[in-house]
Amino acid sequence: MKPDYLHFFIDPSRCIGCQACLHACTECDTHRGESMIHLEFVERAESTQTVPVVCMHCEQPTCAEVCPADAIKRTADGVVQSARRPRCIACGNCVVACPFGVPEVYEDRKIMMKCDMCYDRTSVGKKPMCATVCPSQALFFGTREQIEQLRPRSQPVNRFQFGDQTITTKVQVMVPREVVTRPGYIDVAAAMDERPRSRMLKVMAADAPILASPVAGADVDPFADVELPR
C-alpha cells in the first residue's frame, strides 16, 4: 500500500517536452514496452508548450462506473488500476467516459491499459518511473512539505469542475496561487475558450554606438527602439 504521506504532483508549466517520462514508462515491469503516459500540446498552433498526461486516479473513477464487466478496480489507497485481463471486453466505455482522456484500448490484445502510478513501486515508497527521470520536475512524487518548498508561488489542486460535475483526484496539479479563485477548485470547462494573451517584447539599445547613415543629418541608430512580437 502506498504511504499516505507521499503524493503525485504535476506542474504543467515546467514541462519541456523532452519525452523522458514516455521512455521511462516503457520500462515499468507491469507493462514493459508500452508507455502509459503521453504528452499533449497546449495550443499547438501557437506554442510548443506540452503537458504530461497521467491517470489522475479519481476518488470516484468514472471509468470504473461505466465498465459493464467490472474490470476496473480501485485499490484501498486510491490508485485506479488498469482493466483486469480476464474481465475486460475492450468495449471502450472507459475511454469515452474519462474526463481526462487517459484510458486506451489496445485492439491487438483486447484490453484497456492506463497509468497505474507504477503501483509496484509506489506501494513500497518508491517514485513512479516518470517522476524518477523528469529533469524539470514537472512530474514530482513526494511529500506536501517538499512541494511547498520547491513551488512557493504555486498551489496544489485536486478538485476540478467539468460542467456540473466536480471531480476529486489523487494526483494533484500545481497552479499559480493567483489563478485559484476558490481554494482547491479549478473550472476546467471555463478555460476551454481561453487564448494566449498577445505580448510584445521591447528591445532597448543601451549605449549603442551611432551608426553612420549615408543620408545627411540622419546619424541615428534605426534599431535603438525595436518591438518584436512574441
Side-chain angles (χ1 to χ4, degrees):
M1 181 174 291
K2 185 184 75 63
D4 292 336
Y5 59 87
L6 294 176
H7 306 281
F8 199 174
F9 301 92
I10 300 176
D11 192 339
S13 66
R14 299 185 67 88
C15 181
I16 60 175
C18 66
Q19 300 189 26
C21 55
L22 274 67
H23 298 293
C25 190
T26 63
E27 299 298 323
C28 184
D29 290 335
T30 57
H31 50 79
R32 184 173 293 276
E34 298 282 357
S35 177
M36 298 292 106
I37 183 175
H38 60 275
L39 295 179
E40 291 286 355
F41 282 85
V42 176
E43 189 71 28
R44 192 160 191 166
E46 304 291 338
S47 171
T48 58
Q49 179 64 51
T50 51
V51 174
V53 178
V54 302
C55 180
M56 298 298 288
H57 300 283
C58 305
E59 286 191 359
Q60 292 183 306
T62 308
C63 58
E65 291 177 350
V66 301
C67 180
D70 193 27
I72 304 172
K73 299 296 184 180
R74 182 172 179 265
T75 63
D77 51 359
V79 176
V80 183
Q81 302 286 329
S82 291
R84 297 190 176 185
R85 190 172 297 276
R87 285 180 172 269
C88 183
I89 59 175
C91 65
N93 281 8
C94 53
V95 177
V96 178
C98 177
F100 299 103
V102 170
E104 293 186 21
V105 173
Y106 291 78
E107 290 292 339
D108 56 336
R109 283 154 283 181
K110 301 299 180 184
I111 187 73
M112 184 279 282
M113 296 175 64
K114 67 170 191 63
C115 160
D116 60 2
M117 205 187 291
C118 285
Y119 198 66
D120 58 324
R121 296 174 58 85
T122 55
S123 59
V124 294
K126 294 182 179 181
K127 294 182 178 181
M129 294 294 289
C130 57
T132 302
V133 301
C134 182
S136 62
Q137 293 187 327
L139 297 166
F140 182 82
F141 188 76
T143 66
R144 183 175 290 272
E145 291 74 21
Q146 288 174 325
I147 199 67
E148 288 176 352
Q149 291 179 358
L150 290 170
R151 313 281 190 272
R153 297 183 180 180
S154 299
Q155 176 177 329
V157 169
N158 71 333
R159 292 182 66 238
F160 306 90
Q161 192 76 20
F162 290 87
D164 295 331
Q165 184 181 17
T166 301
I167 297 178
T168 305
T169 63
K170 196 167 189 66
V171 176
Q172 303 185 51
V173 177
M174 302 302 296
V175 298
R177 289 187 179 276
E178 61 269 18
V179 171
V180 184
T181 55
R182 291 173 53 188
Y185 171 90
I186 289 292
D187 189 345
V188 177
M192 293 177 64
D193 296 327
E194 289 185 358
R195 291 293 181 269
R197 291 178 299 175
S198 59
R199 297 178 295 171
M200 296 294 292
L201 175 64
K202 192 169 185 178
V203 181
M204 299 294 295
D207 300 323
I210 296 177
L211 300 179
S213 172
V215 181
D219 293 336
V220 179
D221 181 6
F223 304 106
D225 189 356
V226 180
E227 289 190 354
L228 303 173
R230 293 185 67 185

PDB file of all heavy atoms in Angstrom, residues 47-63:
ATOM      1  N   SER A  47       1.977  27.530 -29.771  1.00  0.00           N
ATOM      2  CA  SER A  47       3.045  27.321 -28.795  1.00  0.00           C
ATOM      3  C   SER A  47       3.573  25.892 -28.867  1.00  0.00           C
ATOM      4  O   SER A  47       2.888  24.977 -29.333  1.00  0.00           O
ATOM      5  CB  SER A  47       2.507  27.613 -27.387  1.00  0.00           C
ATOM      6  OG  SER A  47       3.431  27.225 -26.410  1.00  0.00           O
ATOM      7  N   THR A  48       4.792  25.716 -28.378  1.00  0.00           N
ATOM      8  CA  THR A  48       5.378  24.376 -28.278  1.00  0.00           C
ATOM      9  C   THR A  48       5.179  23.785 -26.888  1.00  0.00           C
ATOM     10  O   THR A  48       5.689  22.710 -26.590  1.00  0.00           O
ATOM     11  CB  THR A  48       6.892  24.431 -28.578  1.00  0.00           C
ATOM     12  OG1 THR A  48       7.531  25.329 -27.648  1.00  0.00           O
ATOM     13  CG2 THR A  48       7.144  24.890 -30.004  1.00  0.00           C
ATOM     14  N   GLN A  49       4.455  24.478 -26.015  1.00  0.00           N
ATOM     15  CA  GLN A  49       4.255  24.029 -24.645  1.00  0.00           C
ATOM     16  C   GLN A  49       3.516  22.691 -24.593  1.00  0.00           C
ATOM     17  O   GLN A  49       2.489  22.513 -25.245  1.00  0.00           O
ATOM     18  CB  GLN A  49       3.461  25.068 -23.850  1.00  0.00           C
ATOM     19  CG  GLN A  49       3.186  24.682 -22.404  1.00  0.00           C
ATOM     20  CD  GLN A  49       4.457  24.566 -21.577  1.00  0.00           C
ATOM     21  OE1 GLN A  49       5.269  25.482 -21.580  1.00  0.00           O
ATOM     22  NE2 GLN A  49       4.638  23.455 -20.899  1.00  0.00           N
ATOM     23  N   THR A  50       4.047  21.758 -23.835  1.00  0.00           N
ATOM     24  CA  THR A  50       3.441  20.444 -23.682  1.00  0.00           C
ATOM     25  C   THR A  50       3.066  20.195 -22.223  1.00  0.00           C
ATOM     26  O   THR A  50       3.567  20.853 -21.321  1.00  0.00           O
ATOM     27  CB  THR A  50       4.405  19.340 -24.141  1.00  0.00           C
ATOM     28  OG1 THR A  50       5.680  19.525 -23.489  1.00  0.00           O
ATOM     29  CG2 THR A  50       4.606  19.373 -25.646  1.00  0.00           C
ATOM     30  N   VAL A  51       2.178  19.236 -22.031  1.00  0.00           N
ATOM     31  CA  VAL A  51       1.727  18.870 -20.695  1.00  0.00           C
ATOM     32  C   VAL A  51       1.737  17.343 -20.585  1.00  0.00           C
ATOM     33  O   VAL A  51       1.165  16.661 -21.442  1.00  0.00           O
ATOM     34  CB  VAL A  51       0.301  19.389 -20.415  1.00  0.00           C
ATOM     35  CG1 VAL A  51      -0.207  18.870 -19.078  1.00  0.00           C
ATOM     36  CG2 VAL A  51       0.278  20.912 -20.419  1.00  0.00           C
ATOM     37  N   PRO A  52       2.379  16.785 -19.567  1.00  0.00           N
ATOM     38  CA  PRO A  52       2.347  15.331 -19.389  1.00  0.00           C
ATOM     39  C   PRO A  52       0.977  14.890 -18.876  1.00  0.00           C
ATOM     40  O   PRO A  52       0.404  15.529 -17.998  1.00  0.00           O
ATOM     41  CB  PRO A  52       3.437  15.083 -18.335  1.00  0.00           C
ATOM     42  CG  PRO A  52       3.530  16.368 -17.575  1.00  0.00           C
ATOM     43  CD  PRO A  52       3.205  17.456 -18.543  1.00  0.00           C
ATOM     44  N   VAL A  53       0.447  13.835 -19.445  1.00  0.00           N
ATOM     45  CA  VAL A  53      -0.878  13.334 -19.061  1.00  0.00           C
ATOM     46  C   VAL A  53      -0.737  11.947 -18.450  1.00  0.00           C
ATOM     47  O   VAL A  53      -0.304  11.004 -19.114  1.00  0.00           O
ATOM     48  CB  VAL A  53      -1.828  13.279 -20.276  1.00  0.00           C
ATOM     49  CG1 VAL A  53      -3.186  12.711 -19.866  1.00  0.00           C
ATOM     50  CG2 VAL A  53      -2.007  14.670 -20.871  1.00  0.00           C
ATOM     51  N   VAL A  54      -1.078  11.850 -17.183  1.00  0.00           N
ATOM     52  CA  VAL A  54      -1.093  10.568 -16.480  1.00  0.00           C
ATOM     53  C   VAL A  54      -2.496  10.353 -15.934  1.00  0.00           C
ATOM     54  O   VAL A  54      -3.318  11.268 -15.939  1.00  0.00           O
ATOM     55  CB  VAL A  54      -0.066  10.540 -15.323  1.00  0.00           C
ATOM     56  CG1 VAL A  54       1.334  10.807 -15.829  1.00  0.00           C
ATOM     57  CG2 VAL A  54      -0.438  11.557 -14.249  1.00  0.00           C
ATOM     58  N   CYS A  55      -2.774   9.168 -15.445  1.00  0.00           N
ATOM     59  CA  CYS A  55      -4.063   8.921 -14.821  1.00  0.00           C
ATOM     60  C   CYS A  55      -4.158   9.762 -13.551  1.00  0.00           C
ATOM     61  O   CYS A  55      -3.238   9.797 -12.738  1.00  0.00           O
ATOM     62  CB  CYS A  55      -4.236   7.443 -14.487  1.00  0.00           C
ATOM     63  SG  CYS A  55      -5.827   7.077 -13.694  1.00  0.00           S
ATOM     64  N   MET A  56      -5.295  10.441 -13.379  1.00  0.00           N
ATOM     65  CA  MET A  56      -5.466  11.324 -12.227  1.00  0.00           C
ATOM     66  C   MET A  56      -5.965  10.563 -10.997  1.00  0.00           C
ATOM     67  O   MET A  56      -6.008  11.101  -9.911  1.00  0.00           O
ATOM     68  CB  MET A  56      -6.447  12.443 -12.574  1.00  0.00           C
ATOM     69  CG  MET A  56      -5.968  13.335 -13.710  1.00  0.00           C
ATOM     70  SD  MET A  56      -4.431  14.209 -13.325  1.00  0.00           S
ATOM     71  CE  MET A  56      -5.027  15.396 -12.133  1.00  0.00           C
ATOM     72  N   HIS A  57      -6.369   9.323 -11.165  1.00  0.00           N
ATOM     73  CA  HIS A  57      -6.812   8.469 -10.062  1.00  0.00           C
ATOM     74  C   HIS A  57      -7.921   9.140  -9.246  1.00  0.00           C
ATOM     75  O   HIS A  57      -7.736   9.571  -8.111  1.00  0.00           O
ATOM     76  CB  HIS A  57      -5.618   8.073  -9.188  1.00  0.00           C
ATOM     77  CG  HIS A  57      -4.572   7.322  -9.952  1.00  0.00           C
ATOM     78  ND1 HIS A  57      -4.712   5.991 -10.281  1.00  0.00           N
ATOM     79  CD2 HIS A  57      -3.385   7.727 -10.486  1.00  0.00           C
ATOM     80  CE1 HIS A  57      -3.652   5.608 -10.984  1.00  0.00           C
ATOM     81  NE2 HIS A  57      -2.850   6.640 -11.125  1.00  0.00           N
ATOM     82  N   CYS A  58      -9.073   9.248  -9.888  1.00  0.00           N
ATOM     83  CA  CYS A  58     -10.234   9.913  -9.300  1.00  0.00           C
ATOM     84  C   CYS A  58     -10.747   9.151  -8.075  1.00  0.00           C
ATOM     85  O   CYS A  58     -10.650   7.924  -8.006  1.00  0.00           O
ATOM     86  CB  CYS A  58     -11.360  10.019 -10.324  1.00  0.00           C
ATOM     87  SG  CYS A  58     -10.878  10.820 -11.870  1.00  0.00           S
ATOM     88  N   GLU A  59     -11.295   9.901  -7.130  1.00  0.00           N
ATOM     89  CA  GLU A  59     -11.874   9.266  -5.948  1.00  0.00           C
ATOM     90  C   GLU A  59     -13.110   8.453  -6.319  1.00  0.00           C
ATOM     91  O   GLU A  59     -13.390   7.415  -5.721  1.00  0.00           O
ATOM     92  CB  GLU A  59     -12.232  10.330  -4.909  1.00  0.00           C
ATOM     93  CG  GLU A  59     -11.020  10.924  -4.199  1.00  0.00           C
ATOM     94  CD  GLU A  59     -11.416  11.764  -3.009  1.00  0.00           C
ATOM     95  OE1 GLU A  59     -12.636  11.910  -2.741  1.00  0.00           O
ATOM     96  OE2 GLU A  59     -10.506  12.287  -2.331  1.00  0.00           O
ATOM     97  N   GLN A  60     -13.854   8.937  -7.302  1.00  0.00           N
ATOM     98  CA  GLN A  60     -14.974   8.180  -7.855  1.00  0.00           C
ATOM     99  C   GLN A  60     -14.717   8.021  -9.346  1.00  0.00           C
ATOM    100  O   GLN A  60     -15.230   8.791 -10.158  1.00  0.00           O
ATOM    101  CB  GLN A  60     -16.304   8.897  -7.604  1.00  0.00           C
ATOM    102  CG  GLN A  60     -16.708   8.949  -6.139  1.00  0.00           C
ATOM    103  CD  GLN A  60     -18.061   9.611  -5.943  1.00  0.00           C
ATOM    104  OE1 GLN A  60     -18.297  10.737  -6.386  1.00  0.00           O
ATOM    105  NE2 GLN A  60     -18.967   8.902  -5.304  1.00  0.00           N
ATOM    106  N   PRO A  61     -13.896   7.044  -9.723  1.00  0.00           N
ATOM    107  CA  PRO A  61     -13.480   6.901 -11.127  1.00  0.00           C
ATOM    108  C   PRO A  61     -14.636   6.603 -12.071  1.00  0.00           C
ATOM    109  O   PRO A  61     -15.319   5.586 -11.940  1.00  0.00           O
ATOM    110  CB  PRO A  61     -12.484   5.738 -11.083  1.00  0.00           C
ATOM    111  CG  PRO A  61     -12.813   4.991  -9.832  1.00  0.00           C
ATOM    112  CD  PRO A  61     -13.323   6.000  -8.856  1.00  0.00           C
ATOM    113  N   THR A  62     -14.855   7.525 -12.996  1.00  0.00           N
ATOM    114  CA  THR A  62     -15.929   7.349 -13.972  1.00  0.00           C
ATOM    115  C   THR A  62     -15.678   6.138 -14.854  1.00  0.00           C
ATOM    116  O   THR A  62     -16.612   5.439 -15.253  1.00  0.00           O
ATOM    117  CB  THR A  62     -16.054   8.610 -14.846  1.00  0.00           C
ATOM    118  OG1 THR A  62     -16.156   9.761 -14.016  1.00  0.00           O
ATOM    119  CG2 THR A  62     -17.277   8.533 -15.734  1.00  0.00           C
ATOM    120  N   CYS A  63     -14.412   5.858 -15.138  1.00  0.00           N
ATOM    121  CA  CYS A  63     -14.084   4.712 -15.991  1.00  0.00           C
ATOM    122  C   CYS A  63     -14.594   3.410 -15.377  1.00  0.00           C
ATOM    123  O   CYS A  63     -15.121   2.535 -16.072  1.00  0.00           O
ATOM    124  CB  CYS A  63     -12.578   4.646 -16.226  1.00  0.00           C
ATOM    125  SG  CYS A  63     -11.584   4.537 -14.711  1.00  0.00           S
TER     126      CYS A  63
END
